[in-house]
Amino acid sequence: MQATLSLRQKAAVWRQAVQGPASFALQAGWLLSALALALLAREGSAWARAAALIGCGAGLGLGLGLWIVRKRRTPDARRLVRQVILPTDAALGARALRAAGLVERLATDAESTPRELARFHLDRVIEGVSVSRIQAAAGRRARRYRWLGGLFAGAVLIAGLTASREIAEGLDVLVTRGARAPVPMLWTERLRVMAFPPAYLRAPPRRLLGGAASMLPKGTSLTLRARPLHEGRSLVISDGAREFPFVSDGEGGLVAHYTVAEDASLVVAARFGEVLIVEPETLRIMALPDEPPRIVLEDAPATLKLSELSRLELRWAAVDDHGLKQVDLVLRSGAREERRTLANYDDESSRQQGGHVLLPSDPFLRSLYLPARVSIEAKDNDPVEGSKWGQSEAFVIVPAAVGEPDALRYLALVRARDGFLDALALTQASVLDGADALFARRLEAAVSGFQAAVTDTYGGLRVPAGLRSFALGRLRLLTEQRGPAAARADAIGELILALDGALGSLSTRDAQRTAKVLGEVAEEAMVSAELARAPEAGAGALERLDRAIFTLQAGAEQLLSLGSLGHDLGSVALADLGRVRRGREHGDLYHAQLAARHLADRLRRPTPSFGAASAGGVEAGQSGSSEPSEHPSQAEQDFDQLARQIAELAHEHAGAVEQVDGALSDAQARVDDEALRVEAERRAGELRDLVEDLPEPGHSPGTLEADAALGREHARAMAHNMETLRFDEAAESGRRANKALADAAGKVSAGTRLASEIEAARAAVEEQLAWAESQFEAGQEVAREKARAALQGPAAREEELAGAAAGLAQRGENPATPLPADSIERLRQADQLMRQAARALQAGEGEAGLGLQRQAQRLLETVDQGKTSDPEREGDASEDDSSGKVAGSRGDVPEAPEQNQAEAFRRRVLESLGDSPTGRLAPAIKRYAEGLLR
C-alpha cells in the first residue's frame, strides 16, 4: 500500500536524522568484521582460510542483497509506520498500524468512499505525531548508532594501530592462490649471504649480492645472516622446492644454511601455515656441476697389431676443473677388464700428465685372443656427488692368433737348428773339393742365424733367459773348436742333440699354455651358444660365437706347429671345432654348445691323446705326465742343475752380505757408559751456560747478531748431541758453531761486551769439540775392534763362497755344462771380488769388505738366468725397459739410452746410501736403499 504524503514527510524527517549515524555504524561494523576475518586467515591453515573466505563472501552477499532490496522496494505505509511512528509514540504507532491495515484491506474495494475515509483516518492519526517528537526520537536512535559506530571505529583504530602488520599479512594470505602470497613483504634487514665452496675445491669464501645472479659450484654452502624486522614470524629460506629455517644466532640475529644442489632462486619468506609470504628480492643461483676429467692420449685413437708391436708408449695429459685424485690404465677385452693405477695425487692438482710403456710381453696382452681397448681413465676429487671418471680415446690392439708368437719362436729355433744339420751333412762330404770352405760358410751362417734366433723378439715373446744361456753356452763350445769339418762333426752333433731336447721341452710347455688359453676361448663359445639359444637373445650372442669359432680356428692352426704335443692337441681342436661349426651353420646350437664344452674340457687337460698310461690323455685321465719320457741329450738336465747351483750361490751370498751388514750395525752400537754420560752432561751444561747470553735468533741475515745467534743454536745442538752420546753429530754441530762464531768475531768491535761473550763461547766450543772428536775416535776404535772379532766368521764364509763361484766358473767351461763367455767372466770377477772382500773382512775393514761383497752380489745376480724350463721372466721381452712405467711432469717416455743412464745414476745414489751404515738411522737407510735396488 502506498504511503500517504504526510507519512512520507515524517519518514523523510526520520531518515535525515538517522541515516548518517546508521551508515557510519554499519560501515564500521563491516570494516571490523573484515579485520577479524583477515586475522583469522593469517593462521594460514586450510580451514582458517576457508572460514575467512566464507565470511567475506557472506558479508558481501548480505550487503549486495540489502542494496538490491532497498533499490527495488516501494514506500510502504505499514513499514514506514513501524520505522518512524512506532519508535516515536507507541500508542499512536499502534493506532497507525491498525489504520494502515484498514486502508490495505479496503484497497481492493470497488467503492471509493470507504477507501478514501480510511486513508483520511490514517492521515489524521499520523498528523497526531508532531515533527518535533519524531526528530527527538530520531535523535535518540541516531545517538545509539553513533555510539555503536564509535565503538566499532575505536576497535578498528586500535586494531590498526596495534596489529596493522598482522592485518596486512592476513589480507595477503587471504587472497593467496597456491602456496605463495601475491604481495611480497620485507622480513629482514642487513641480510648478508656468504658462499663457502666445498672444501675439496680449496677456494676462499665470498659474499653474494642480493638481486644478482651468482654461479657457484655444486655443494657450495650458503650462510645467510640477517636481523628480523618483526618478531614472532617463522622465517625460512626457500628455493621453491625446499625450505631451511632461520634460527637464532644468540646475538639477536638470525642465521640459515643452504647447500647448492641445482639452479635455484632463493628468497627469504615468512611461513603462515601453508602459505609463504616472500621478500621482494631474489637471489638467483646457477649451480656449476663438477665436470668429469678430460684425458688426452697422444696418437689415440688408433688400431695396432699385437704381432707388429714392440712397445706401446702411452703419453697422456689429464685435466679436471677442480682436482685429480687417480689415473688408471684400463685394459678391456671382451668381458675381461683390468685396471692398473698409474698415479695417486694427494695435492689434488687440476692438471697432470705422464707416460707409461706397455710391452707385448704384458700378461694381459700375452693371454689376449679378442681385440683389446687400451685407454687412460682419470678420477676427480668430487666428494659431493661422488668421484667421476673421465676416459680417453683408446688404442685398439688386434691380437695375433692364439699361440702365434710361440709358434713363430719355436719355428725360428727349429730353422736355426736345421742350419747346423745342413753343416753336419757337409762333414760327411769333406773329401770333396771345396767342401771345407762350403762347410765353414754354412757353419758361420748357422751360428749367426742361431744367435739371432735366440735374441730376437717374436710378437713380444723372447726366448727364456735360462734357455738362451743354455743355447749360447753350447754354441760357445762349437765356436771355440777349430779344425776341419770332419773333426767338428761330434761337436755339431752334440749341439743338435742338446737343442732337440731343449726345443722339445719348450714346445711342450708352449703347447700346454696355448691349449689352456684356447680352452678359455672354447668356454666363451659354449657360453655364447647357450646365450644364443635363449628366445630373447639377439644377434650379439651369435656374433660372440662366430668370433670365438674364428679365434679357435686360428689358434688350433698355430698349435699344430708346436711339436708333437701341439700337433696332437691342434688336431683334436680342429676336429671338435668342426662339430661346433656344423652346429652353428645348421642352427643346432644345443649340439654346438655340447661340442664346445667337450673341446674346452679337452684343451684344459693338455696331455697326449695316446701313448703309455702314464702319459695321460683322454683315455688315460688327468694324472699323466705332460713331459717327454725320454730326452735325446742329458745336456739340458746338467745345465739346469748348474743353473740351480748358481741361484743357490746368489741366495747364500745375499745372506752373507746381510750377516756382515748386521755385524757392522751391531759394532756401531755404543756401550752405555754411565761415567761417560755424566761427564757429557756436565760438559753440555757448561756449554749451554756460556752461550746463553748470545743474541736470540730473529735478526737480519748477515749481521753480527745473526751470526752470533746461529753460533748459539749450533752450540746448543752440540750440547744436546753430547748428552745423547752422539759424538759424531756433536762434532759436526761444533764445527758449524765454531764457524758461525768466527764470522761474528770478525764483525764485532774489540772491547765491547758482545766481543767478550763471543770469544768465551768460541773457546768453550773449541774445547768441547776437541773432547767430542776424541770420544768419537775412541768409539770408532772400539767399534772396529768389535767388528774385527765379529767379522772373522763372515770372512771365512766369504772365502768359502768365493771357492764355490770359482768352481761354478770351471763347470761353466766344462763341455758337459757350458755357459756363455760373459757368464763365466762374471763368475770369475765375482770370485775375485769375494776373495778381496774376505781379506778385507779378515783385516777388520768392514766397510770396504761390505762394498766388495755387494759388487760381487750384483755380478752373481746377473749370472743367475734361471733354468731352461723356466718361463720368460717379467720384463725380459725388453732389456731396455725395466719398469715399463715413466711418470713425470712433462709426460715424456725416455728413450732406451736415457733410461739406462737414469738407472745407472739411480744405482750410484742408492749404493752411496747403502754403503755408509753409520749413525742412528743407518739400518733404516740401508733397508730402504736395498729395497729400491731390488
Side-chain angles (χ1 to χ4, degrees), residues 628-691:
S629 58
E630 296 182 359
H631 290 278
S633 173
Q634 186 67 21
E636 186 180 356
Q637 286 76 8
D638 294 340
F639 178 86
D640 287 345
Q641 182 183 12
L642 177 61
R644 183 169 56 253
Q645 292 174 352
I646 292 174
E648 291 173 355
L649 175 62
H651 179 72
E652 291 177 4
H653 189 263
V657 174
E658 185 67 25
Q659 183 182 3
V660 171
D661 195 6
L664 291 178
S665 298
D666 294 340
Q668 291 293 331
R670 175 179 288 274
V671 178
D672 190 6
D673 189 342
E674 185 62 28
L676 179 63
R677 184 178 298 277
V678 171
E679 177 65 16
E681 290 178 352
R682 183 187 68 79
R683 289 176 174 272
E686 292 177 357
L687 180 60
R688 285 196 184 93
D689 293 340
L690 286 172
V691 300

Side-chain angles (χ1 to χ4, degrees), residues 44 116 122 153 160 217 303 316 321 326 343 345 405 429 463 475-476 486 489 547 570 594 665 719 724 760 828 844 867:
E116 293 297 330
L122 177 60
T303 301
W316 53 267
D321 48 358
Q326 182 176 328
Y345 302 105
V463 176
L475 185 63
R476 180 183 61 80
R547 263 197 320 267
L594 292 180
S665 298
T724 56
R828 294 198 179 280
K867 299 183 293 183

Side-chain angles (χ1 to χ4, degrees), residues 545-718:
L545 177 58
D546 292 338
R547 263 197 320 267
I549 291 174
F550 177 81
T551 303
L552 281 169
Q553 177 72 32
E557 292 174 354
Q558 299 298 325
L559 195 57
L560 292 172
S561 303
L562 291 174
S564 58
L565 179 61
H567 193 277
D568 180 2
L569 297 175
S571 301
V572 172
L574 289 175
D576 283 355
L577 184 59
R579 296 167 53 199
V580 178
R581 184 181 289 108
R582 285 193 297 273
R584 165 68 177 94
E585 291 173 353
H586 293 87
D588 188 0
L589 297 177
Y590 173 71
H591 286 92
Q593 176 187 349
L594 292 180
R597 175 179 295 175
H598 178 271
L599 178 57
D601 291 341
R602 177 65 185 92
L603 291 174
R604 286 177 179 145
R605 292 182 286 107
T607 55
S609 299
F610 302 97
S614 62
V618 176
E619 294 78 6
Q622 302 184 33
S623 61
S625 171
S626 61
E627 294 292 336
S629 58
E630 296 182 359
H631 290 278
S633 173
Q634 186 67 21
E636 186 180 356
Q637 286 76 8
D638 294 340
F639 178 86
D640 287 345
Q641 182 183 12
L642 177 61
R644 183 169 56 253
Q645 292 174 352
I646 292 174
E648 291 173 355
L649 175 62
H651 179 72
E652 291 177 4
H653 189 263
V657 174
E658 185 67 25
Q659 183 182 3
V660 171
D661 195 6
L664 291 178
S665 298
D666 294 340
Q668 291 293 331
R670 175 179 288 274
V671 178
D672 190 6
D673 189 342
E674 185 62 28
L676 179 63
R677 184 178 298 277
V678 171
E679 177 65 16
E681 290 178 352
R682 183 187 68 79
R683 289 176 174 272
E686 292 177 357
L687 180 60
R688 285 196 184 93
D689 293 340
L690 286 172
V691 300
E692 189 65 30
D693 295 334
L694 293 177
E696 295 282 349
H699 298 279
S700 300
T703 61
L704 165 65
E705 290 78 6
D707 291 338
L710 182 61
R712 178 180 185 270
E713 295 305 308
H714 283 309
R716 291 174 63 86
M718 179 183 182

